[in-house]
Amino acid sequence: MKIKASLCSSLALALAILSPVRGLALGIRIADQDPAATARGNAFAATADNPSAIYYNPAGITQLEGNNASFGVYGILLNSDYRGNGVSQSTKDEIQGVPQFYYTLALEKCPISIGLGFYSPYGLSLEWPDKSPFRTLATKGNITYLTLNPVVAWRIHPTLSIAAGPTLNYADTDLRRGIIPFPLNPGDQFRFHGDDTDLGFNAGILWKPIEILSFGANYRSETTMDFSGRSSTKGADAFGVPSGSQAASARFPFPQNIVAGVSFRPTPKWNLEFDVDWTDWDRLNTVKLKQKFSGTLPLTFDWQSSIFYEWGVTRYFEKGWHASAGYIFSENSVPDKNFNPIVPDSNRHIFSLGVGRKYEHWRWDAAYQLAYGPERNVTGSTPNFLTGESADGRYEFISHALTFSIGYHF
């Protein structure tokens, strides 16, 4: 009986850790790192003319004079709806916010500029009701991912700049799911909590051959987080899964991504840009779970790389005012077979509007963003092999975001 209980516990722990990670697709990437860029649909790699260029294209900081500092916040409200198995469910409404800070310095009488950025390139989360029909696949997933990014940029020629810098990354994850299907044992829970640090780098190039045209590209390297912490179960003792905890870890690769864009400025009053932003989720094939007492178990993902298609326009007015609008089409990364409700990935349409003003020393920007995922009908998703629950059903996604920043030049 003890052997059977131990085996059941081990399998439940393995599935509990690995299944929620499936949801960590494009949905956890936060591509919005500055309201001026967000307002333009993040089509900013070939413009990159404020301190947030450290994220979007660090070569752009050579366009800035003196000292420049910027602080911003991106706040988002997410909601996903599910219909299937005769029930309807919605995720818990929760406002999530991430900070952004940038500082740049142009060295005097030298074609070198330096900068420092602090931002969160990943970190969104969703929480489903405990009574959902897929509770043994996922109930809640949170991830915090923070990056400190120093950069050095060099203006090789008046029309050409390059830049690069390391990224110092810290990530913390908290994943939860049920063990027994609802309503047999509501309230039981598995939890995995771990963290890790890692190093990567980013690099950029900006070329402006003529006054009305510029090209930009940015590269962000892959990183791998060996999430190390503890896994625990509670509330399922009557079903042979004893309460307790053990040391556990899960090795999760984060993708490299490449952005390339072109900016066209027919007059000083207009800036139009189109960018292509590719994320390499193809490298996410198998995640290995290591537990102190339960050995190592593999899980195959086989996700697909995906692209943001980004369009943006800015109109400049008198007295430092400007207004922007943008649109993004975001491709789905996860096939039906590997779908998990913790982040219901899908093709998405993202619309944005923003306004801002520049003064002699101060500047501010604000933007609103609406993301809409048309209904996705998931069929043939891999079920939990202990409980038989699957993620099959119809999903719709919507989010509202507000972002604001204030900057100072001296």
Side-chain angles (χ1 to χ4, degrees):
M1 184 68 181
K2 290 184 178 179
I3 294 176
K4 182 179 179 180
S6 177
L7 177 60
C8 185
S9 176
S10 297
L11 290 174
L13 288 171
L15 289 172
I17 290 178
L18 292 174
S19 293
V21 179
R22 296 186 191 178
L24 304 182
L26 208 64
I28 68 164
R29 185 174 165 206
I30 307 175
D32 304 277
Q33 299 297 334
D34 176 75
T38 294
R40 295 166 49 85
N42 287 321
F44 200 58
T47 299
D49 59 357
N50 71 35
S52 71
I54 291 171
Y55 172 83
Y56 289 98
N57 180 1
I61 69 172
T62 60
Q63 302 176 95
L64 308 177
E65 299 179 351
N67 295 266
N68 294 271
S70 177
F71 175 78
V73 175
Y74 176 77
I76 186 167
L77 176 65
L78 306 170
N79 181 266
S80 187
D81 293 319
Y82 164 83
R83 289 184 292 114
N85 298 304
V87 300
S88 297
Q89 298 283 354
S90 295
T91 54
K92 179 181 178 180
D93 290 339
E94 181 179 355
I95 298 176
Q96 303 166 48
V98 292
Q100 303 146 0
F101 173 77
Y102 306 100
Y103 170 76
T104 67
L105 169 63
L107 302 181
E108 294 185 6
K109 300 179 181 180
C110 180
I112 300 295
S113 297
I114 60 175
L116 179 67
F118 177 75
Y119 49 84
S120 179
Y122 304 95
L124 302 185
S125 68
L126 287 181
E127 181 177 359
W128 290 96
D130 190 54
K131 60 183 180 180
S132 67
F134 43 74
R135 70 183 302 270
T136 60
L137 294 174
T139 56
K140 183 177 181 179
N142 288 316
I143 185 168
T144 299
Y145 192 112
L146 302 174
T147 294
L148 188 66
N149 183 192
V151 298
V152 177
W154 175 27
R155 177 170 285 182
I156 303 174
H157 183 270
T159 65
L160 180 65
S161 296
I162 59 174
T167 59
L168 294 78
N169 310 295
Y170 168 79
D172 177 277
T173 185
D174 185 356
L175 307 175
R176 308 182 191 189
R177 53 156 282 178
I179 301 172
I180 308 301
F182 183 85
L184 296 178
N185 196 43
D188 65 321
Q189 177 182 273
F190 168 85
R191 181 183 183 187
F192 171 69
H193 187 201
D195 62 358
D196 192 27
T197 58
D198 195 14
L199 293 174
F201 72 93
N202 69 332
I205 183 170
L206 184 66
W207 180 42
K208 191 174 183 180
I210 57 177
E211 188 64 28
I212 65 171
L213 196 65
S214 63
F215 302 87
N218 182 51
Y219 173 78
R220 186 170 302 275
S221 74
E222 62 190 42
T223 60
T224 300
M225 291 292 178
D226 289 311
F227 290 119
S228 179
R230 300 194 69 82
S231 59
S232 61
T233 58
K234 68 176 184 179
D237 301 74
F239 293 86
V241 184
S243 298
S245 68
Q246 64 176 309
S249 64
R251 184 177 178 86
F252 188 87
F254 286 81
Q256 62 180 335
N257 79 279
I258 301 173
V259 184
V262 55
S263 169
F264 176 57
R265 309 176 199 194
T267 76
K269 293 184 178 181
W270 288 95
N271 183 341
L272 298 87
E273 184 166 338
F274 172 68
D275 288 9
V276 176
D277 184 337
W278 172 76
T279 305
D280 181 25
W281 283 115
D282 274 339
R283 75 180 295 255
L284 180 57
N285 297 310
T286 299
V287 167
K288 293 183 179 181
L289 164 69
K290 296 181 180 179
Q291 300 178 98
K292 185 174 181 180
F293 303 114
S294 306
T296 300
L297 295 174
L299 180 68
T300 300
F301 288 84
D302 292 331
W303 285 0
Q304 306 163 350
S305 293
S306 53
I307 296 177
F308 287 143
Y309 298 95
E310 304 165 333
W311 290 266
V313 57
T314 298
R315 172 67 160 88
Y316 302 95
F317 301 94
E318 296 180 354
K319 298 182 179 179
W321 287 93
H322 58 269
S324 301
Y327 168 75
I328 303 170
F329 177 73
S330 170
E331 290 184 336
N332 171 46
S333 300
V334 183
D336 282 7
K337 181 180 179 181
N338 297 327
F339 187 89
N340 187 285
I342 200 65
V343 177
D345 202 29
S346 64
N347 292 332
R348 292 176 188 173
H349 302 281
I350 306 171
F351 305 90
S352 54
L353 293 169
V355 66
R357 190 177 184 185
K358 293 180 68 174
Y359 303 87
E360 182 178 0
H361 293 288
W362 292 95
R363 54 172 284 269
W364 61 266
D365 280 280
Y368 166 74
Q369 181 188 75
L370 169 68
Y372 171 66
E375 184 176 84
R376 178 180 180 182
N377 185 20
V378 175
T379 59
S381 63
T382 302
N384 180 318
F385 72 81
L386 286 180
T387 67
E389 289 188 333
S390 78
D392 287 3
R394 297 180 181 275
Y395 295 82
E396 286 189 75
F397 173 89
I398 192 168
S399 70
H400 303 273
L402 293 172
T403 177
F404 177 81
S405 73
I406 187 167
Y408 187 73
H409 166 74
F410 56 101

